[in-house]
Amino acid sequence: MRPIEVVDRLGRWSSGRGPLYVLLAARLRQLIDDGELPPGVLLPPDRALAGALAVGRTTVVAAYDLLRAEGRIARRQGSGTRVAGVPSDVPAEDAPVDPIFLDSLEARDDDVLLAVCAAPGDPPPQLADAFTAIAPELGRITDDIGYYPYGHPELRAALADRYTARGVPTAYEQILVTNGGQQALSLLAHALLSPGDQVLVEAPTYPGALEVFREEGAVLRGLPVGLVGIEAAVRERRPALAYVIPTYQNPTGAVMSTLARQRVAGAGIPVIEDEVPADLGFPSAEEPVPMAAYGDSVISIGSLSKSIWGGLRIGWIRAAPPLINRLARLRAVHDLGGNVPSQLAAVHLLPLLDGPDLPRTLKARHDHLHGLLTEALPTWEIPTVAGGQCLWVRLPHGDGVSFAQTALRHGLAVLPGAGLDVTDAGAPYIRLHFRARPTDLTEAVHRLKSAWTDYRPSTTRQHPRPTIAI
């Protein structure tokens, strides 16, 4: 087991009170007892794990010694450190280990600022208004059991109309409503992939998509942001699928040109166009035409979780009717249909996506965070963006995984870049989001500066700025 795999499972292990070695042993103990580190698993060597966690080797040694005294691990010269017990021939079922998912499962800690999952921290007041507005509609429902595997007809029609208004003629039959964008990705991966299939992804990209594809046993192949080189990759790799975030890409904030969209849409393979960040443009930003306008093989997904609120589990898929029918059958097996009141409320909330409030708020918070970061940490490389919700920050030395561990001990949970890039080029990066309140963003920068001052990476390797070909 590589150190980074253990680090991903540890979560916010050091945010409690007490000596670090006790906290580390407690979290490893929990993972062993829960079966996430099953008997026979080889744990990382002392030095390797210490480097990944940005702690001294004595911290890891002391934690391992505690677990060995309890009989939970065995340490033998020449054979390493293993979880105690008879190795099992049946591997334990893997749970998602990406920090985004792990963070959502953690109990909230008031002493830790969360900068991992980028999403609105507060539901807008219009959310309550929307549910108030639909109360009479719910009262008029008769002779309706409320199961809609395709989604409620009103919301499907409203989404189809919105795509048409954005330059992509869309019929009602081309829309499937899902319980959020993540379910949309899961359904598509299950329907379109078999174990061993190759999937082309941007490097870096949204880690939740990488986990979904891995869950289906896919082999991930990374291309530069915008899927540059997709034509050659299709010829050489014969992939089953490509996944791209063309507008305000997560995490870089990049926006693909019209020519690039046409190139990817015409690559000759199914392409999942993730439009979840597409509604997060700043004021005066020109809204690009969705990639689906340039090819029938493009499958679009969207969600209200980043633009309205994550607790409103409304997402959707736009695709050809035969695929929509297939997805609805798959969805019905696991989920007879989404929450009808939420879908009716979503119809009232869709106009907010085109209103002025969200763009102004996003721009103000981006500028606030970027300004504070450039002043407090002038050696960091922090590009600005024109929309979205993230800054893709390049550290001048060290790596994102070990720095994230240092930041955690200063009360800030950040997302290291390694888990977002299948080419391993994301090591020098961290992802920061600017969706939090300005006061929290200010405090986050203060903690980042303190963490950077204390950061002592195991290697002093410098990260030169990349050469950009134009």
Side-chain angles (χ1 to χ4, degrees):
M1 177 168 284
R2 296 184 302 137
I4 190 172
E5 293 173 340
V6 172
V7 172
D8 284 343
R9 287 171 163 83
L10 288 174
R12 301 196 299 272
W13 68 274
S14 62
S15 62
R17 290 177 172 80
L20 286 178
Y21 78 93
V22 174
L23 298 175
L24 178 59
R27 194 49 174 259
L28 288 170
R29 183 183 302 114
Q30 180 183 357
L31 294 174
I32 292 169
D33 292 350
D34 289 348
E36 286 200 52
L37 296 177
V41 163
L42 182 65
L43 297 176
D46 309 340
R47 292 186 188 278
L49 184 55
L53 295 177
V55 298
R57 177 172 174 256
T58 56
T59 296
V60 177
V61 171
Y64 278 171
D65 285 346
L66 278 178
L67 296 173
R68 180 175 60 179
E70 297 169 0
R72 284 184 168 83
I73 65 172
R75 286 164 65 78
R76 295 185 178 87
Q77 187 71 28
S79 60
T81 302
R82 293 182 181 273
V83 176
V86 179
S88 171
D89 293 332
V90 181
E93 183 178 354
D94 286 335
V97 298
D98 188 273
I100 283 183
F101 296 110
L102 186 59
D103 189 73
S104 67
L105 295 171
E106 292 268 13
R108 292 298 184 225
D109 186 338
D110 292 337
D111 295 329
V112 178
L113 289 176
L114 302 181
V116 174
C117 185
D122 305 299
Q126 294 92 335
L127 180 63
D129 296 340
F131 276 93
T132 299
I134 67 165
E137 298 178 54
L138 295 174
R140 290 192 295 267
I141 293 176
T142 59
D143 194 25
D144 184 349
I145 62 174
Y147 292 162
Y148 293 99
Y150 286 90
H152 195 279
E154 285 190 38
L155 182 54
R156 294 179 72 196
L159 290 167
D161 290 345
R162 189 165 189 270
Y163 272 110
T164 300
R166 296 175 63 211
V168 189
T170 301
Y172 164 93
E173 293 81 9
Q174 291 177 267
I175 298 292
L176 176 76
V177 179
T178 63
N179 288 329
Q182 195 67 29
Q183 187 185 62
L185 277 172
S186 296
L187 286 171
L188 286 168
H190 190 66
L192 300 176
L193 295 176
S194 298
D197 282 348
Q198 297 200 26
V199 178
L200 302 180
V201 298
E202 296 172 288
T205 191
Y206 168 54
L210 302 181
E211 291 292 339
V212 164
F213 299 142
R214 288 178 178 131
E215 186 72 16
E216 297 297 330
V219 178
L220 304 180
R221 303 295 183 186
L223 295 176
V225 171
L227 294 182
V228 177
I230 188 173
E231 301 94 339
V234 169
R235 290 194 302 268
E236 296 168 6
R237 302 284 186 181
R238 297 190 178 184
L241 186 67
Y243 170 77
V244 65
I245 310 173
T247 306
Y248 312 127
Q249 199 256 3
N250 181 357
T252 66
V255 179
M256 289 176 63
S257 67
T258 298
L259 183 61
R261 291 168 191 254
Q262 293 171 339
R263 170 177 51 79
V264 173
I269 60 172
V271 176
I272 297 177
E273 172 195 26
D274 189 337
E275 280 214 302
V276 171
D279 298 309
L280 304 178
F282 295 167
S284 74
E286 183 178 351
E287 182 181 4
V289 176
M291 188 181 292
Y294 305 114
D296 294 337
S297 62
V298 176
I299 303 159
S300 300
I301 66 171
S303 169
L304 296 182
S305 64
K306 305 303 183 185
S307 51
I308 305 297
W309 188 46
L312 184 69
R313 303 308 302 153
I314 297 293
W316 56 85
I317 299 170
R318 180 203 178 275
L323 179 57
I324 292 295
N325 293 337
R326 181 182 175 193
L327 294 170
R329 291 193 294 270
L330 284 173
R331 191 256 181 95
V333 172
H334 303 283
D335 180 3
L336 292 174
N339 182 280
V340 169
S342 293
Q343 293 182 61
L344 293 175
V347 176
H348 292 263
L349 292 166
L350 283 179
L352 289 181
L353 304 183
D354 303 310
D357 293 343
L358 179 60
R360 284 198 294 257
T361 298
L362 288 171
K363 178 68 162 60
R365 295 188 179 184
H366 164 273
D367 293 350
H368 182 76
L369 178 61
H370 190 272
L372 291 175
L373 283 172
T374 54
E375 180 180 353
L377 297 157
T379 62
W380 287 16
E381 183 180 335
I382 314 166
T384 59
V385 296
Q389 53 190 356
C390 301
L391 296 177
W392 186 234
V393 177
R394 185 179 177 89
L395 306 177
H397 62 264
D399 65 276
V401 171
S402 60
F403 176 68
Q405 292 295 318
T406 301
L408 186 60
R409 293 194 288 279
H410 285 260
L412 183 69
V414 302
L415 189 64
L420 288 74
D421 193 323
V422 299
T423 67
D424 294 329
Y429 291 88
I430 60 173
R431 194 192 77 173
L432 301 175
H433 78 78
F434 45 84
R435 298 305 299 269
R437 301 182 185 94
T439 52
D440 288 339
L441 294 176
T442 300
E443 179 61 24
V445 173
H446 174 73
R447 297 184 188 189
L448 281 171
K449 184 177 180 179
S450 297
W452 186 247
T453 300
D454 291 348
Y455 179 48
R456 299 292 183 270
S458 57
T459 174
T460 57
R461 179 169 60 94
Q462 302 293 309
H463 299 310
R465 292 174 180 263
T467 300
I468 301 176
I470 299 177

Short mmCIF file of all heavy atoms in Angstrom, two decimals, residues 353-403:
data_model
loop_
_atom_site.label_atom_id
_atom_site.label_comp_id
_atom_site.label_asym_id
_atom_site.label_seq_id
_atom_site.Cartn_x
_atom_site.Cartn_y
_atom_site.Cartn_z
N LEU A 353 -30.27 30.72 -12.15
CA LEU A 353 -29.02 30.43 -12.84
C LEU A 353 -28.64 31.54 -13.81
O LEU A 353 -27.45 31.69 -14.15
CB LEU A 353 -29.12 29.09 -13.58
CG LEU A 353 -29.49 27.87 -12.74
CD1 LEU A 353 -29.47 26.61 -13.61
CD2 LEU A 353 -28.54 27.72 -11.56
N ASP A 354 -29.62 32.29 -14.27
CA ASP A 354 -29.36 33.35 -15.24
C ASP A 354 -29.47 34.74 -14.62
O ASP A 354 -29.45 35.75 -15.33
CB ASP A 354 -30.33 33.23 -16.42
CG ASP A 354 -30.25 31.86 -17.09
OD1 ASP A 354 -29.13 31.44 -17.39
OD2 ASP A 354 -31.30 31.21 -17.26
N GLY A 355 -29.59 34.79 -13.29
CA GLY A 355 -29.73 36.08 -12.61
C GLY A 355 -28.38 36.68 -12.28
O GLY A 355 -27.32 36.06 -12.45
N PRO A 356 -28.35 37.93 -11.76
CA PRO A 356 -27.08 38.63 -11.50
C PRO A 356 -26.46 38.36 -10.15
O PRO A 356 -25.27 38.64 -9.95
CB PRO A 356 -27.51 40.11 -11.60
CG PRO A 356 -28.93 40.10 -11.11
CD PRO A 356 -29.53 38.79 -11.56
N ASP A 357 -27.21 37.82 -9.18
CA ASP A 357 -26.71 37.73 -7.81
C ASP A 357 -25.53 36.77 -7.67
O ASP A 357 -24.50 37.11 -7.07
CB ASP A 357 -27.83 37.31 -6.87
CG ASP A 357 -28.92 38.37 -6.74
OD1 ASP A 357 -28.63 39.53 -7.12
OD2 ASP A 357 -30.03 38.05 -6.28
N LEU A 358 -25.67 35.56 -8.21
CA LEU A 358 -24.61 34.56 -8.06
C LEU A 358 -23.31 35.02 -8.73
O LEU A 358 -22.24 34.91 -8.11
CB LEU A 358 -25.07 33.22 -8.62
CG LEU A 358 -24.06 32.08 -8.56
CD1 LEU A 358 -23.65 31.80 -7.12
CD2 LEU A 358 -24.62 30.82 -9.21
N PRO A 359 -23.32 35.53 -9.96
CA PRO A 359 -22.06 35.99 -10.57
C PRO A 359 -21.35 37.06 -9.74
O PRO A 359 -20.12 37.02 -9.59
CB PRO A 359 -22.50 36.52 -11.93
CG PRO A 359 -23.75 35.78 -12.25
CD PRO A 359 -24.44 35.60 -10.93
N ARG A 360 -22.12 38.01 -9.21
CA ARG A 360 -21.49 39.06 -8.41
C ARG A 360 -20.84 38.50 -7.15
O ARG A 360 -19.73 38.89 -6.77
CB ARG A 360 -22.52 40.12 -8.05
CG ARG A 360 -22.88 41.05 -9.20
CD ARG A 360 -23.56 42.31 -8.69
NE ARG A 360 -24.86 42.02 -8.08
CZ ARG A 360 -26.03 42.25 -8.67
NH1 ARG A 360 -26.05 42.76 -9.90
NH2 ARG A 360 -27.16 41.98 -8.05
N THR A 361 -21.55 37.59 -6.48
CA THR A 361 -21.02 37.00 -5.25
C THR A 361 -19.76 36.20 -5.54
O THR A 361 -18.75 36.31 -4.81
CB THR A 361 -22.07 36.10 -4.59
OG1 THR A 361 -23.21 36.89 -4.24
CG2 THR A 361 -21.52 35.44 -3.35
N LEU A 362 -19.78 35.40 -6.59
CA LEU A 362 -18.61 34.58 -6.94
C LEU A 362 -17.40 35.46 -7.25
O LEU A 362 -16.29 35.19 -6.79
CB LEU A 362 -18.93 33.70 -8.14
CG LEU A 362 -19.89 32.52 -7.89
CD1 LEU A 362 -20.28 31.89 -9.22
CD2 LEU A 362 -19.25 31.49 -6.98
N LYS A 363 -17.61 36.51 -8.04
CA LYS A 363 -16.49 37.38 -8.41
C LYS A 363 -15.91 38.08 -7.18
O LYS A 363 -14.68 38.16 -7.01
CB LYS A 363 -16.99 38.44 -9.41
CG LYS A 363 -15.94 39.46 -9.85
CD LYS A 363 -14.86 38.78 -10.69
CE LYS A 363 -14.05 39.80 -11.50
NZ LYS A 363 -13.36 40.79 -10.69
N ALA A 364 -16.77 38.57 -6.29
CA ALA A 364 -16.29 39.26 -5.09
C ALA A 364 -15.47 38.32 -4.22
O ALA A 364 -14.41 38.71 -3.68
CB ALA A 364 -17.47 39.84 -4.32
N ARG A 365 -15.91 37.09 -4.06
CA ARG A 365 -15.20 36.16 -3.19
C ARG A 365 -13.90 35.67 -3.84
O ARG A 365 -12.89 35.47 -3.15
CB ARG A 365 -16.11 35.00 -2.79
CG ARG A 365 -17.28 35.49 -1.93
CD ARG A 365 -18.12 34.38 -1.35
NE ARG A 365 -19.20 34.93 -0.53
CZ ARG A 365 -20.04 34.22 0.17
NH1 ARG A 365 -19.96 32.89 0.16
NH2 ARG A 365 -21.00 34.81 0.89
N HIS A 366 -13.93 35.49 -5.15
CA HIS A 366 -12.70 35.15 -5.87
C HIS A 366 -11.66 36.25 -5.66
O HIS A 366 -10.50 35.98 -5.32
CB HIS A 366 -13.00 34.98 -7.36
CG HIS A 366 -11.77 35.01 -8.23
ND1 HIS A 366 -11.25 36.19 -8.73
CD2 HIS A 366 -10.98 34.02 -8.70
CE1 HIS A 366 -10.18 35.93 -9.45
NE2 HIS A 366 -9.99 34.62 -9.45
N ASP A 367 -12.05 37.49 -5.88
CA ASP A 367 -11.11 38.60 -5.76
C ASP A 367 -10.60 38.74 -4.32
O ASP A 367 -9.42 39.05 -4.09
CB ASP A 367 -11.77 39.90 -6.20
CG ASP A 367 -12.09 39.93 -7.69
OD1 ASP A 367 -11.64 39.02 -8.40
OD2 ASP A 367 -12.80 40.85 -8.13
N HIS A 368 -11.48 38.50 -3.37
CA HIS A 368 -11.09 38.59 -1.96
C HIS A 368 -10.02 37.55 -1.63
O HIS A 368 -8.97 37.88 -1.06
CB HIS A 368 -12.33 38.39 -1.08
CG HIS A 368 -12.06 38.50 0.38
ND1 HIS A 368 -11.87 39.71 1.02
CD2 HIS A 368 -11.95 37.55 1.35
CE1 HIS A 368 -11.66 39.51 2.31
NE2 HIS A 368 -11.70 38.20 2.53
N LEU A 369 -10.27 36.29 -2.00
CA LEU A 369 -9.32 35.23 -1.70
C LEU A 369 -8.02 35.42 -2.47
O LEU A 369 -6.92 35.30 -1.91
CB LEU A 369 -9.94 33.86 -2.00
CG LEU A 369 -9.01 32.65 -1.79
CD1 LEU A 369 -8.57 32.57 -0.33
CD2 LEU A 369 -9.69 31.37 -2.21
N HIS A 370 -8.12 35.72 -3.76
CA HIS A 370 -6.92 35.85 -4.58
C HIS A 370 -6.04 37.00 -4.08
O HIS A 370 -4.81 36.86 -4.01
CB HIS A 370 -7.31 36.07 -6.05
CG HIS A 370 -6.14 35.97 -6.98
ND1 HIS A 370 -5.35 37.06 -7.30
CD2 HIS A 370 -5.61 34.91 -7.66
CE1 HIS A 370 -4.40 36.69 -8.13
NE2 HIS A 370 -4.53 35.39 -8.36
N GLY A 371 -6.66 38.12 -3.73
CA GLY A 371 -5.88 39.24 -3.24
C GLY A 371 -5.15 38.93 -1.95
O GLY A 371 -3.96 39.26 -1.79
N LEU A 372 -5.82 38.29 -1.01
CA LEU A 372 -5.19 37.93 0.25
C LEU A 372 -4.07 36.92 0.06
O LEU A 372 -3.01 37.02 0.68
CB LEU A 372 -6.23 37.37 1.21
CG LEU A 372 -7.28 38.34 1.76
CD1 LEU A 372 -8.30 37.60 2.60
CD2 LEU A 372 -6.63 39.45 2.57
N LEU A 373 -4.29 35.94 -0.82
CA LEU A 373 -3.27 34.91 -1.05
C LEU A 373 -2.01 35.49 -1.68
O LEU A 373 -0.89 35.16 -1.26
CB LEU A 373 -3.84 33.81 -1.96
CG LEU A 373 -4.79 32.79 -1.32
CD1 LEU A 373 -5.40 31.90 -2.39
CD2 LEU A 373 -4.06 31.94 -0.28
N THR A 374 -2.17 36.33 -2.69
CA THR A 374 -1.00 36.88 -3.36
C THR A 374 -0.19 37.79 -2.43
O THR A 374 1.03 37.89 -2.57
CB THR A 374 -1.41 37.66 -4.62
OG1 THR A 374 -2.40 38.63 -4.27
CG2 THR A 374 -1.99 36.74 -5.66
N GLU A 375 -0.86 38.42 -1.49
CA GLU A 375 -0.15 39.26 -0.52
C GLU A 375 0.54 38.42 0.55
O GLU A 375 1.69 38.68 0.92
CB GLU A 375 -1.12 40.24 0.13
CG GLU A 375 -0.47 41.16 1.14
CD GLU A 375 -1.46 42.12 1.78
OE1 GLU A 375 -2.62 42.15 1.34
OE2 GLU A 375 -1.07 42.84 2.72
N ALA A 376 -0.17 37.41 1.05
CA ALA A 376 0.37 36.62 2.16
C ALA A 376 1.39 35.58 1.70
O ALA A 376 2.31 35.24 2.45
CB ALA A 376 -0.77 35.93 2.90
N LEU A 377 1.23 35.07 0.47
CA LEU A 377 2.07 33.97 -0.02
C LEU A 377 2.57 34.31 -1.42
O LEU A 377 2.16 33.71 -2.41
CB LEU A 377 1.27 32.67 -0.01
CG LEU A 377 0.83 32.22 1.40
CD1 LEU A 377 -0.37 31.29 1.32
CD2 LEU A 377 1.99 31.54 2.12
N PRO A 378 3.47 35.28 -1.53
CA PRO A 378 3.87 35.78 -2.86
C PRO A 378 4.65 34.78 -3.70
O PRO A 378 4.75 34.95 -4.92
CB PRO A 378 4.74 37.00 -2.52
CG PRO A 378 5.22 36.76 -1.11
CD PRO A 378 4.11 36.03 -0.43
N THR A 379 5.19 33.72 -3.09
CA THR A 379 5.94 32.74 -3.88
C THR A 379 5.04 31.70 -4.52
O THR A 379 5.50 30.91 -5.36
CB THR A 379 6.99 32.03 -3.01
OG1 THR A 379 6.32 31.31 -1.95
CG2 THR A 379 7.96 33.03 -2.42
N TRP A 380 3.77 31.67 -4.14
CA TRP A 380 2.85 30.70 -4.73
C TRP A 380 2.39 31.18 -6.10
O TRP A 380 2.24 32.39 -6.35
CB TRP A 380 1.62 30.52 -3.84
CG TRP A 380 1.87 29.75 -2.58
CD1 TRP A 380 3.08 29.47 -2.01
CD2 TRP A 380 0.88 29.19 -1.73
NE1 TRP A 380 2.90 28.75 -0.85
CE2 TRP A 380 1.56 28.56 -0.65
CE3 TRP A 380 -0.51 29.13 -1.77
CZ2 TRP A 380 0.89 27.90 0.37
CZ3 TRP A 380 -1.18 28.47 -0.74
CH2 TRP A 380 -0.49 27.86 0.31
N GLU A 381 2.13 30.24 -6.99
CA GLU A 381 1.59 30.56 -8.31
C GLU A 381 0.07 30.39 -8.25
O GLU A 381 -0.43 29.27 -8.10
CB GLU A 381 2.18 29.63 -9.37
CG GLU A 381 1.72 29.94 -10.78
CD GLU A 381 2.32 29.01 -11.80
OE1 GLU A 381 3.42 28.47 -11.53
OE2 GLU A 381 1.71 28.81 -12.87
N ILE A 382 -0.66 31.52 -8.38
CA ILE A 382 -2.10 31.51 -8.15
C ILE A 382 -2.80 32.21 -9.33
O ILE A 382 -3.06 33.42 -9.28
CB ILE A 382 -2.47 32.23 -6.83
CG1 ILE A 382 -1.54 31.77 -5.69
CG2 ILE A 382 -3.93 31.98 -6.47
CD1 ILE A 382 -1.61 32.65 -4.46
N PRO A 383 -3.10 31.51 -10.42
CA PRO A 383 -3.78 32.15 -11.56
C PRO A 383 -5.19 32.59 -11.18
O PRO A 383 -5.86 31.97 -10.35
CB PRO A 383 -3.81 31.04 -12.62
CG PRO A 383 -2.80 30.03 -12.18
CD PRO A 383 -2.78 30.11 -10.68
N THR A 384 -5.64 33.68 -11.80
CA THR A 384 -7.03 34.09 -11.66
C THR A 384 -7.90 33.29 -12.62
O THR A 384 -7.40 32.67 -13.57
CB THR A 384 -7.19 35.59 -11.96
OG1 THR A 384 -6.73 35.85 -13.28
CG2 THR A 384 -6.40 36.43 -10.97
N VAL A 385 -9.20 33.30 -12.39
CA VAL A 385 -10.15 32.61 -13.27
C VAL A 385 -11.29 33.58 -13.60
O VAL A 385 -11.45 34.62 -12.97
CB VAL A 385 -10.71 31.34 -12.61
CG1 VAL A 385 -9.60 30.32 -12.38
CG2 VAL A 385 -11.41 31.65 -11.28
N ALA A 386 -12.09 33.23 -14.61
CA ALA A 386 -13.22 34.05 -15.02
C ALA A 386 -14.55 33.47 -14.59
O ALA A 386 -15.61 34.00 -14.93
CB ALA A 386 -13.21 34.23 -16.54
N GLY A 387 -14.50 32.39 -13.83
CA GLY A 387 -15.71 31.74 -13.36
C GLY A 387 -15.36 30.46 -12.63
O GLY A 387 -14.19 30.09 -12.50
N GLY A 388 -16.38 29.79 -12.15
CA GLY A 388 -16.16 28.57 -11.39
C GLY A 388 -16.12 28.86 -9.91
O GLY A 388 -16.71 29.82 -9.42
N GLN A 389 -15.37 28.03 -9.17
CA GLN A 389 -15.34 28.19 -7.72
C GLN A 389 -14.02 27.79 -7.10
O GLN A 389 -13.90 27.74 -5.88
CB GLN A 389 -16.46 27.36 -7.11
CG GLN A 389 -16.46 25.91 -7.53
CD GLN A 389 -17.70 25.17 -7.10
OE1 GLN A 389 -18.56 25.71 -6.42
NE2 GLN A 389 -17.80 23.90 -7.47
N CYS A 390 -13.00 27.55 -7.94
CA CYS A 390 -11.73 27.03 -7.43
C CYS A 390 -10.54 27.82 -7.95
O CYS A 390 -10.57 28.39 -9.04
CB CYS A 390 -11.54 25.57 -7.85
SG CYS A 390 -12.83 24.45 -7.29
N LEU A 391 -9.48 27.80 -7.14
CA LEU A 391 -8.16 28.26 -7.56
C LEU A 391 -7.23 27.05 -7.55
O LEU A 391 -7.19 26.28 -6.58
CB LEU A 391 -7.62 29.33 -6.61
CG LEU A 391 -8.40 30.65 -6.55
CD1 LEU A 391 -7.77 31.57 -5.51
CD2 LEU A 391 -8.44 31.33 -7.91
N TRP A 392 -6.48 26.88 -8.64
CA TRP A 392 -5.56 25.76 -8.77
C TRP A 392 -4.16 26.31 -8.48
O TRP A 392 -3.54 26.97 -9.29
CB TRP A 392 -5.65 25.20 -10.18
CG TRP A 392 -4.88 23.95 -10.49
CD1 TRP A 392 -3.99 23.79 -11.51
CD2 TRP A 392 -4.96 22.68 -9.83
NE1 TRP A 392 -3.50 22.51 -11.54
CE2 TRP A 392 -4.08 21.80 -10.51
CE3 TRP A 392 -5.67 22.21 -8.74
CZ2 TRP A 392 -3.91 20.48 -10.12
CZ3 TRP A 392 -5.49 20.88 -8.35
CH2 TRP A 392 -4.63 20.03 -9.03
N VAL A 393 -3.68 26.06 -7.28
CA VAL A 393 -2.51 26.73 -6.73
C VAL A 393 -1.29 25.82 -6.81
O VAL A 393 -1.33 24.67 -6.36
CB VAL A 393 -2.77 27.13 -5.26
CG1 VAL A 393 -1.52 27.77 -4.65
CG2 VAL A 393 -3.96 28.09 -5.18
N ARG A 394 -0.22 26.36 -7.36
CA ARG A 394 1.03 25.60 -7.49
C ARG A 394 2.01 26.05 -6.42
O ARG A 394 2.34 27.23 -6.30
CB ARG A 394 1.64 25.82 -8.88
CG ARG A 394 2.88 24.99 -9.17
CD ARG A 394 3.37 25.29 -10.59
NE ARG A 394 4.60 24.58 -10.89
CZ ARG A 394 4.67 23.36 -11.42
NH1 ARG A 394 3.55 22.73 -11.71
NH2 ARG A 394 5.83 22.78 -11.69
N LEU A 395 2.48 25.09 -5.62
CA LEU A 395 3.44 25.38 -4.56
C LEU A 395 4.84 25.47 -5.14
O LEU A 395 5.20 24.73 -6.05
CB LEU A 395 3.39 24.28 -3.50
CG LEU A 395 2.02 23.97 -2.88
CD1 LEU A 395 2.15 22.80 -1.90
CD2 LEU A 395 1.45 25.20 -2.18
N PRO A 396 5.68 26.36 -4.62
CA PRO A 396 7.04 26.49 -5.15
C PRO A 396 7.95 25.32 -4.79
O PRO A 396 8.95 25.09 -5.47
CB PRO A 396 7.54 27.80 -4.53
CG PRO A 396 6.73 27.97 -3.29
CD PRO A 396 5.38 27.38 -3.60
N HIS A 397 7.64 24.60 -3.73
CA HIS A 397 8.41 23.41 -3.38
C HIS A 397 7.54 22.53 -2.50
O HIS A 397 6.48 22.92 -2.03
CB HIS A 397 9.72 23.77 -2.66
CG HIS A 397 9.51 24.49 -1.36
ND1 HIS A 397 9.55 25.86 -1.25
CD2 HIS A 397 9.27 24.04 -0.09
CE1 HIS A 397 9.34 26.22 0.00
NE2 HIS A 397 9.16 25.14 0.73
N GLY A 398 8.01 21.30 -2.29
CA GLY A 398 7.23 20.33 -1.52
C GLY A 398 6.15 19.70 -2.38
O GLY A 398 6.25 19.65 -3.60
N ASP A 399 5.10 19.22 -1.74
CA ASP A 399 4.01 18.59 -2.48
C ASP A 399 2.70 18.83 -1.75
O ASP A 399 2.68 19.10 -0.54
CB ASP A 399 4.24 17.08 -2.63
CG ASP A 399 4.22 16.36 -1.30
OD1 ASP A 399 5.26 16.32 -0.61
OD2 ASP A 399 3.15 15.85 -0.92
N GLY A 400 1.59 18.74 -2.51
CA GLY A 400 0.29 19.05 -1.97
C GLY A 400 -0.17 18.11 -0.87
O GLY A 400 -0.85 18.52 0.06
N VAL A 401 0.20 16.83 -0.97
CA VAL A 401 -0.26 15.85 0.02
C VAL A 401 0.32 16.16 1.40
O VAL A 401 -0.40 16.26 2.40
CB VAL A 401 0.11 14.42 -0.41
CG1 VAL A 401 -0.16 13.43 0.72
CG2 VAL A 401 -0.67 14.02 -1.65
N SER A 402 1.63 16.33 1.48
CA SER A 402 2.24 16.60 2.79
C SER A 402 1.90 18.00 3.29
O SER A 402 1.74 18.19 4.49
CB SER A 402 3.76 16.40 2.73
OG SER A 402 4.35 17.28 1.79
N PHE A 403 1.76 18.98 2.37
CA PHE A 403 1.37 20.30 2.84
C PHE A 403 -0.06 20.29 3.38
O PHE A 403 -0.38 20.97 4.37
CB PHE A 403 1.48 21.36 1.74
CG PHE A 403 0.98 22.71 2.20
CD1 PHE A 403 1.68 23.42 3.16
CD2 PHE A 403 -0.21 23.22 1.70
CE1 PHE A 403 1.21 24.65 3.62
CE2 PHE A 403 -0.69 24.44 2.16
CZ PHE A 403 0.02 25.16 3.12
#
